[in-house]
Amino acid sequence: MEYLVILIAAVFVNNIVLSQFLGICPFLGVSNRISTSIGMSGAVLFVMTIATTVTYLLHQYILVPSGLDYLRTITFILVIAALVQMVEIILKKVSPPLYQALGVFLPLITTNCAVLGVAILALGLENGSLLKAVFFALSHAIGFSLALVVFASIREFLELADLPEGMKGVPINLLVAGLLSLAFLGFAGLV
Amino acid sequence: MNKTLDQKQNFLKGIIKENPVFVMLLGMCPALGVTSSAFNGLGMGVATLFVLLMSNIVVSLIKSQIPNKVRIPAFIIIIASFVTVVEMVLEAYIPFLYEQLGIFIPLIVVNCLILGRAEAFASKNNLFSSVLDALGMGLGFTIALTALGATREILGSGSIFDIKFVGEDANTFILFILPPGAFIALAYLAVLFQRLTPKTS
């Protein structure tokens, strides 16, 4: 039950993009095609879950016992950067088709603040455990994917829309994101 | 003469022509996430300005010592160190702002604006130009965040910098201090910014 609440809260109520504003860069950057948005979602799902697992263990068993909690930001970002590189190398070797699908998105993920954000947020969970933190990351990644894919499918229609000159490009995308966020606001109070 | 003109241009470009938020769309997460009031926007802007300035200074001073292959991790460590400093200072001296900005303080590390300037500017230019570049870009970012925060606060809470100008029971557009309002306000500010800036072409 507790896990169901985490899932629903992360995907709908506190959607990471639309209500917490993390990962806006890939949200606006790679959402012009549904296919690319699915690729990006896959890469984020993968990296976010692994990164949170590693940073959670690191924080719990190394940083906290040795009183180095204040180095959190530095260590986490380094771990994430190294991890992304490692995942890239391993995927290339182990599963070329998956690498083909996710490859171009992996380097972009280091600067995706959603990954670092979720890793930090996972530390603040009530009665936290490793399993819970990993599930928390997974749920947020699903929320990210949902927002990204829905947004991309709306943007594909926008290409055909007749817009005033000034609204073209960034402003209309932000407006659409705003309306999408408004729709997600309807889930508030669900859990 | 020409040189001073260049430096002036170098400083001003961040504020108008290459404004990080309205034109380059860098650092959008904090721009949307913390701007529910003008004060928060200003606080985030100044914190980012500080980190940007310090990282540009350090990067431009040690650029010849950093091997090309590991420059990005090196930049990230430099940036992360200053972010940690900001985090500690805010927690100690301005706990109210620290609470308000929350997760977005450690996330200054992944603000693409800072890494972008380190990579694109400070690693190629001398100290003086890098300082001007950081000040210009940082001010542009601060102005954008404060403007967005002020717009949202005026419409959403009927106040500016916490000074209320409507009655206690007045109806305000609550929407603008909620998440959707951030996207909508930024969309219209971006249109306005495009309209008001002189076209270079």
Side-chain angles (χ1 to χ4, degrees):
Chain A
M1 190 59 207
E2 198 186 1
Y3 284 81
L4 189 67
V5 172
I6 292 183
L7 180 71
I8 292 177
V11 176
F12 297 111
V13 185
N14 296 319
N15 187 285
I16 187 153
V17 182
L18 297 169
S19 72
Q20 299 192 63
F21 304 111
L22 299 176
I24 300 282
C25 296
F27 181 69
L28 294 174
V30 295
S31 55
N32 40 1
R33 290 267 168 281
I34 296 184
S35 53
T36 50
S37 74
I38 292 174
M40 186 68 187
S41 304
V44 167
L45 194 79
F46 206 68
V47 172
M48 199 182 268
T49 316
I50 299 176
T52 306
T53 314
V54 176
T55 52
Y56 188 84
L57 289 173
L58 195 70
H59 185 259
Q60 226 55 12
Y61 294 104
I62 297 180
L63 290 185
V64 172
S66 36
L68 294 174
D69 201 21
Y70 64 94
L71 287 179
R72 188 186 65 184
T73 312
I74 300 184
T75 40
F76 279 23
I77 189 70
L78 278 181
V79 165
I80 291 171
L83 207 67
V84 170
Q85 290 266 303
M86 219 167 69
V87 167
E88 205 178 339
I89 295 169
I90 294 176
L91 269 190
K92 208 173 183 173
K93 196 88 184 158
V94 177
S95 167
L98 194 61
Y99 177 75
Q100 285 288 322
L102 306 182
V104 284
F105 303 106
L106 284 174
L108 293 175
I109 289 185
T110 317
T111 53
N112 181 343
C113 53
V115 177
L116 180 61
V118 166
I120 295 175
L121 286 174
L123 302 176
L125 285 172
E126 273 175 53
N127 326 313
S129 64
L130 178 63
L131 186 64
K132 208 172 186 177
V134 173
F135 190 77
F136 178 81
L138 191 66
S139 312
H140 273 94
I142 296 172
F144 178 83
S145 312
L146 179 72
L148 188 61
V149 174
V150 170
F151 187 55
S153 41
I154 299 176
R155 274 187 70 178
E156 286 199 347
F157 283 103
L158 273 183
E159 278 175 20
L160 305 170
D162 185 20
L163 294 166
E165 198 53 45
M167 283 312 257
K168 278 181 188 154
V170 179
I172 189 68
N173 287 335
L174 286 170
L175 267 190
V176 169
L179 293 177
L180 204 56
S181 164
L182 195 60
F184 272 71
L185 201 63
F187 292 114
L190 200 63
V191 288
Chain B
M1 179 62 200
N2 207 8
K3 195 137 195 242
T4 49
L5 197 71
D6 278 357
Q7 294 293 15
K8 195 178 155 202
Q9 204 61 36
N10 185 18
F11 173 68
L12 286 177
K13 71 174 188 301
I15 300 175
I16 300 168
K17 218 170 91 198
E18 295 177 22
N19 187 291
V21 178
F22 294 132
V23 182
M24 314 261 283
L25 297 179
L26 294 173
M28 296 297 276
C29 300
L32 293 165
V34 302
T35 50
S36 54
S37 75
F39 182 72
N40 287 356
L42 184 64
M44 189 67 201
V46 173
T48 311
L49 172 67
F50 170 77
V51 176
L52 180 59
L53 180 63
M54 296 313 284
S55 79
N56 256 16
I57 290 175
V58 173
V59 168
S60 118
L61 283 178
I62 63 169
K63 59 178 180 289
S64 54
Q65 310 293 321
I66 305 175
N68 201 33
K69 273 194 176 158
V70 293
R71 67 181 194 286
I72 301 283
F75 295 163
I76 291 180
I77 297 183
I78 294 169
I79 297 169
S81 316
F82 288 115
V83 170
T84 310
V85 172
V86 167
E87 222 177 329
M88 288 168 154
V89 170
L90 282 184
E91 190 174 8
Y93 294 103
I94 325 179
F96 162 74
L97 190 63
Y98 180 79
E99 290 286 313
Q100 289 282 310
L101 300 182
I103 180 108
F104 286 99
I105 301 172
L107 289 182
I108 297 176
V109 176
V110 281
N111 188 329
C112 0
L113 170 64
I114 299 173
L115 187 61
R117 291 331 284 174
E119 163 76 4
F121 200 92
S123 64
K124 298 189 183 78
N125 288 282
N126 62 26
L127 180 63
F128 185 61
S129 311
S130 302
V131 168
L132 282 184
D133 176 71
L135 286 176
M137 283 287 165
L139 272 180
F141 189 73
T142 309
I143 292 170
L145 257 66
T146 314
L148 184 57
T151 310
R152 291 180 64 190
E153 196 183 342
I154 292 171
L155 293 171
S157 337
S159 62
I160 176 104
F161 287 106
D162 288 326
I163 304 164
K164 251 187 144 41
F165 53 74
V166 294
E168 268 316 310
D169 49 357
N171 282 323
T172 53
F173 298 102
I174 310 276
L175 174 73
F176 279 94
I177 45 173
L178 294 173
F183 289 108
I184 296 169
L186 183 59
Y188 284 111
L189 280 184
V191 176
L192 193 69
F193 194 80
Q194 263 178 22
R195 186 78 181 78
L196 292 180
T197 47
K199 292 279 170 294
T200 40
S201 58

